[in-house]
Amino acid sequence: MTFERMWAELQPVGRDLHTGGYRRFAWTRSDHDLREWFAGEAAARGLDLVTDRAGNQWAWWGDVDASVAAGRKGLVLGSHLDSVPDGGAYDGPLGVVSALAVVEALQREGFRPSRPIGVVNFVDEEGARFGIACAGSRIITGALDAERARGLRDADGRTMAEAMTAAGHEPARLGPDPETLARIGAFVELHVEQGRGLADLDRPVAVGGSIWPHGRWRLDLAGEANHAGTTRLEDRRDPMLALAAAVLSAREAATAQGCVATVGKVRVEPNGVNAIPSAVTAWLDARGPAEPGVRAVVDAVAARAGVAPVEESWTAETTFDGTLSRQLTGLLDDAPLLATGAGHDAGILAAAGIPTAMLFVRNPTGVSHSPAEHAETEDCLAGIEALTTVARELAR
Ligand SMILES: [Zn+2]
């Protein structure tokens, strides 16, 4: 079975042996291995591989440029292969592997698509290394400025431009890529569900309805380094206290607003057990059903921590193409429509005006961005079957 073979091949790549989680960050060795793997799978199916200006990989079945010239844009399936720190196996790769399996299934049954079908591997979806999620899709749509992207730094101070160069890619090419976007008539991203919606409904597959508005803010909390033993409490300027207030207020405001808020990344200077910190940098992730609630959470955190949060990214609410979503629901035995609090490349393309839809595969516990993330093989296969049905119809 082709799904199980591909899944087994990806299993060891970028896996941390201690945590069991994945550390597949953009433009690293494991990312390189995943990109090579993708190129190999594309070649095995006779697909033409194109790498766009941001480094996203597109594998086309059929001559897409000739088809676009004739007025028929392609149908694109796929997702991403990178991960968050200690991420699970399914977030991203399930969509890429499913797309490759769909192409293979259609080729095997002798299907002749009326328009080219592409499989995409978006680069740097999680933003784990340089801090901006969906960097690959944001760059080609112009939602992320190329100059800003090139200058983004990882935890070791390396810029994205340097990391790309080291990986053999040309950072000077970064920028809006209308030629790539013009090939996409529709994009359908299959993804493991990052919640328990389908488990509660006892269904294997859902159609994506919308993505909550969401953003990331940096909190720069300043203090003064000093000795943990000899500095009187009243003489301290300890930014860790501001962090504590920020974290608690984020939780309280999120509860009050019906939102979610998380402080999951913190940098402490000098990071010594017996030193009062000189500075704490923390990142706030806030999301909710509507923008005013999310903004209220950020304002509450700013007020309690006494800082002006720096907005590192903001994505407005994304509603997927209604016609396309209804069509998918109809094709898939009245599959439920689910909104999600997670961002996706599909959301970036939808915001750029491309007809876009998502399929979600049941996650029995709802756990994601964790080594415990899981989906039953049976449900993954149901997802592939659903995506095959969709592709057959959209490229009929
Ligand atoms: Zn994902």
Side-chain angles (χ1 to χ4, degrees):
M1 176 64 207
T2 187
F3 168 76
E4 274 122 334
R5 175 191 55 79
M6 287 191 277
W7 207 246
E9 285 171 3
L10 289 179
Q11 206 259 347
V13 185
R15 190 169 205 189
D16 184 285
L17 293 177
H18 297 286
T19 63
Y22 289 94
R23 304 186 142 257
R24 297 164 166 170
F25 307 144
W27 308 117
T28 59
R29 178 75 218 182
S30 58
D31 188 49
H32 168 86
D33 293 348
L34 292 163
R35 296 171 67 86
E36 291 286 296
W37 176 86
F38 182 82
E41 292 298 311
R45 290 164 180 80
L47 312 181
D48 296 325
L49 189 68
V50 187
T51 303
D52 69 19
R53 297 181 55 154
N56 305 303
Q57 294 178 296
W58 307 79
W60 285 103
W61 178 19
D63 186 340
V64 68
D65 289 327
S67 182
V68 170
R72 278 190 318 275
K73 296 182 176 193
L75 165 67
V76 178
L77 316 172
S79 191
H80 60 95
L81 292 175
D82 68 319
S83 78
V84 295
D86 291 324
Y90 295 83
D91 177 356
L94 184 60
V96 175
V97 166
S98 297
L100 290 164
V102 166
V103 166
E104 189 171 327
L106 292 176
Q107 288 177 336
R108 282 220 176 116
E109 71 187 42
F111 182 75
R112 310 275 296 233
S114 61
R115 54 169 163 169
I117 297 180
V119 179
V120 64
N121 169 31
F122 279 109
V123 71
D124 202 5
E125 194 273 345
E126 300 288 5
R129 184 170 179 190
F130 298 104
I132 297 206
C134 301
S137 54
R138 283 187 208 268
I139 289 168
I140 59 167
T141 58
L144 171 60
D145 176 69
E147 199 47 51
R148 185 178 167 212
R150 277 189 280 268
L152 292 171
R153 287 179 190 277
D154 67 11
D156 298 327
R158 261 190 142 189
T159 63
M160 185 186 283
E162 288 162 358
M164 283 185 77
T165 304
H169 287 261
E170 182 46 71
R173 287 185 72 222
L174 288 180
D177 194 335
E179 202 184 335
T180 292
L181 298 177
R183 296 182 181 124
I184 316 168
F187 174 49
V188 182
E189 179 170 2
L190 178 147
H191 205 280
V192 67
E193 195 199 344
Q194 297 169 295
R196 287 200 310 264
L198 280 168
D200 290 348
L201 293 166
D202 197 23
R203 297 280 298 252
V205 176
V207 175
S210 64
I211 298 178
W212 282 4
H214 55 279
R216 295 180 180 187
W217 291 264
R218 193 183 72 238
L219 311 174
D220 297 314
L221 308 168
E224 188 178 34
N226 214 330
H227 195 288
T230 57
T231 315
R232 285 192 215 139
L233 290 178
E234 62 266 32
D235 290 341
R236 297 181 182 212
R237 286 182 54 225
D238 185 350
M240 198 62 87
L241 298 179
L243 174 68
V247 173
L248 291 172
S249 66
R251 178 61 177 255
E252 287 160 13
T255 305
Q257 298 292 337
C259 295
V260 290
T262 307
V263 177
K265 179 175 169 179
V266 172
R267 194 184 294 153
V268 181
E269 307 288 341
N271 208 21
V273 177
N274 55 358
I276 297 160
S278 59
V280 171
T281 310
W283 282 265
L284 170 70
D285 177 306
R287 314 167 188 226
E291 175 166 353
V294 180
R295 297 284 178 195
V297 170
V298 179
D299 291 346
V301 171
R304 276 277 289 283
V307 286
V310 178
E311 185 171 295
E312 292 199 332
S313 72
W314 170 255
T315 308
E317 182 186 10
T318 307
T319 311
F320 295 118
D321 187 280
T323 311
L324 191 55
S325 297
R326 273 192 299 279
Q327 190 181 2
L328 266 53
T329 306
L331 280 170
L332 303 175
D333 193 20
D334 283 326
L337 206 59
L338 287 185
T340 176
H344 298 284
D345 293 305
I348 305 299
L349 293 195
I354 292 169
T356 298
M358 288 194 78
L359 295 181
F360 294 122
V361 169
R362 171 164 49 194
N363 177 335
T365 60
V367 171
S368 188
H369 285 187
S370 151
E373 180 185 82
H374 185 69
E376 298 295 340
T377 299
E378 198 187 342
D379 287 347
C380 295
L381 296 177
I384 291 170
E385 199 180 314
L387 192 63
T388 307
T389 302
V390 167
R392 209 185 274 118
E393 178 64 21
L394 296 181
R396 189 160 54 98

